[in-house]
Amino acid sequence: MVDKLIIFDTTLRDGEQSPGASMTKEEKIRIARQLERMKVDVIEAGFAASSNGDFDAIHAIASQVKDSVVCSLARANDKDIMRAAAALKPAGQFRIHTFIATSALHMEKKLRMTPGQVYEQAQRAVRFARNFTNDIEFSPEDGSRSDINFLCRVLEIVIAEGATTINIPDTVGYAVPDGYAALIQKIREQVPNSDKAIFSVHCHNDLGMAVANSLAAVKLSGARQIECTVNGLGERAGNTSLEEVVMAVKTRRDYFRLEVGIDTTQIMPTSKLVSQTTGFIVQPNKAVVGANAFAHTSGIHQDGVLKARDTYEIMRAEDVGWSANKIVLGKLSGRNAFKQRLQELGVALNSEAELNSAFGHFKELADQKAEIFDEDILSILSQEAKSAHDHETYRFVSLSQHSETGERPCARVVFIVNNSETIGEAHGNGPVDATLHAIESQVNSGAELILYSVNAITTGTQAQGEVTVRLSKSGRIVNGVGTDLDIVTASAKAYFAALNKLNSNTERLNPQCS
């Protein structure tokens, strides 16, 4: 018999806690649909009680996702659980994930509760959640640093009250693989009713061991659910990477002897969608989804791969959704060909108006760029989704800039501010610096630029540039992404995108949880 490993994706909840990664409702829906297309078992869509925006997003996802279980996080209190249940109500199948801290440090310093109070609150929370669903997950926050005897007492009572999944979070990324696996094994041995629940793992990557810890618990102590995020997205050093655990189990089936239901050909499209939506660029040497993941530069390696791919490749690039970067469309391509390519990419647009708008931007790009790749199309759609739903206080119109050796660059930017055209002009240390100063000369946002990053969407000198700008103001951090064939123009677009988020009431900071 081969067991199934449940993939619990928390990109939309824990992943969104990355500084600047907060998403709008429409962005969350789009990612949820892609996760469903990838056949993720459980989608943690958010934390319903944290904000009205998160509640609305979870409710919309619960209305539209049919093939995955939709989940909401909730603190161990009646108000949070009722809010989660209300948000999840439209779902065909849903889960309430409730949590409370169990480590001595968290109970004393954060909760200011005694162990007895935490025990009783955990019990009451799971009992109350049973009024809404039989699919209940319980997490003892900071579980990896909790007293084992107290932890087992809490877990025994929540299982008795109806918790069907027990998640042991390594909240601060403190665990090491053998110790973490031993902890879960000891819990399963000491809790008399542990066989009544599925054990889950939720690891953070502060010491670079999130994937190793998760897989160790699966292999050595019988955990059968891994909580993870696309691209390992998450606050601080991130979470367990979905693509890495899935491909590890798939590639080393001989070792893990587990099945996963993920459609691995959707891994790359999902990775790109999450990256473009959040503005968190995937590092080139990232396993599975990095640009260099299947690149071979060593002459010996190249020779071996040409003779037999499995000499240096343990998995095929196409198995995780990498395309051959072939030209798919051009300036002479028609609307039907464009629509067909969208279907092949697994992209579903909501209306003919959205299709017409996307096709119009495709034709504009095709007039400037001879070779159009899948990545270009996905970038167009990502920008379409943002502009269609975001309230734009600022909108880019045009840009002119001049720079030459020995002269200080200058830039002139024309943009819309609340339906009025504005012109900003400034000098800078380079064309990008001059452009951003030109914008700020009229905006005076008071924001601090804490990250500026450029990424080529495809290969070659005609590649579109994708720029990520991260701004900080009054403790709030937002990301803006812009794409264009001209890097300076892409920079201006990214800056305006970030400014629009700073001015948006829908953007918010997420609370830190398990």
Side-chain angles (χ1 to χ4, degrees), residues 123-185:
Q123 179 184 19
R124 287 197 302 268
V126 174
R127 182 184 296 171
F128 185 68
R130 278 288 302 276
N131 293 316
F132 306 100
T133 179
N134 292 324
D135 191 348
I136 301 165
E137 179 169 338
F138 176 80
S139 289
E141 186 182 5
D142 205 23
S144 62
R145 296 193 298 175
S146 298
D147 174 78
I148 183 67
N149 294 319
F150 175 65
L151 186 58
C152 288
R153 281 186 59 223
V154 172
L155 297 182
E156 180 181 356
I157 192 62
V158 297
I159 293 173
E161 291 293 346
T164 51
T165 300
I166 297 296
N167 177 52
I168 309 297
D170 180 29
T171 303
V172 295
Y174 183 73
V176 294
D178 57 346
Y180 185 61
L183 170 66
I184 294 175
Q185 183 62 35

Side-chain angles (χ1 to χ4, degrees), residues 2 8 10 30 85 142 202 234 301 307 312 333-334 338:
V2 177
F8 177 111
T10 185
R30 190 173 175 211
D142 205 23
H202 179 118
H301 287 205
K307 291 174 178 175
Y312 288 101
S333 299
F338 179 72

Side-chain angles (χ1 to χ4, degrees), residues 183-198:
L183 170 66
I184 294 175
Q185 183 62 35
K186 194 170 183 180
I187 291 170
R188 295 188 68 202
E189 290 171 354
Q190 286 189 209
V191 175
N193 54 359
S194 63
D195 60 321
K196 300 294 192 292
I198 293 170

Side-chain angles (χ1 to χ4, degrees), residues 329-436:
L329 295 172
K331 64 186 297 182
L332 299 180
S333 299
R335 186 175 177 278
N336 286 337
F338 179 72
K339 185 176 181 180
Q340 177 63 33
R341 190 64 195 128
L342 294 183
Q343 293 174 351
E344 292 170 2
L345 289 170
V347 175
L349 296 180
N350 294 324
S351 65
E352 285 296 306
E354 285 191 15
L355 174 62
N356 292 337
S357 179
F359 181 64
H361 284 95
F362 159 74
K363 295 294 279 187
E364 289 175 9
L365 180 61
D367 283 336
Q368 305 172 61
K369 185 176 186 285
E371 302 176 347
I372 305 296
F373 299 97
D374 290 351
E375 290 81 358
D376 293 312
I377 296 173
L378 292 172
S379 175
I380 289 171
L381 295 174
S382 179
Q383 295 304 309
E384 280 282 307
K386 290 177 185 294
S387 61
H389 299 291
D390 289 354
H391 171 68
E392 295 185 318
T393 302
Y394 306 101
R395 183 160 51 86
F396 174 82
V397 176
S398 64
L399 163 70
S400 62
Q401 60 86 20
H402 176 78
S403 61
E404 63 178 280
T405 304
E407 298 290 336
R408 197 156 187 245
C410 60
R412 181 177 186 271
V413 184
V414 181
F415 56 101
I416 303 296
V417 182
N418 291 324
N419 300 319
S420 298
E421 187 170 282
T422 302
I423 299 174
E425 296 180 311
H427 288 80
N429 294 327
V432 171
D433 188 49
T435 297
L436 301 191

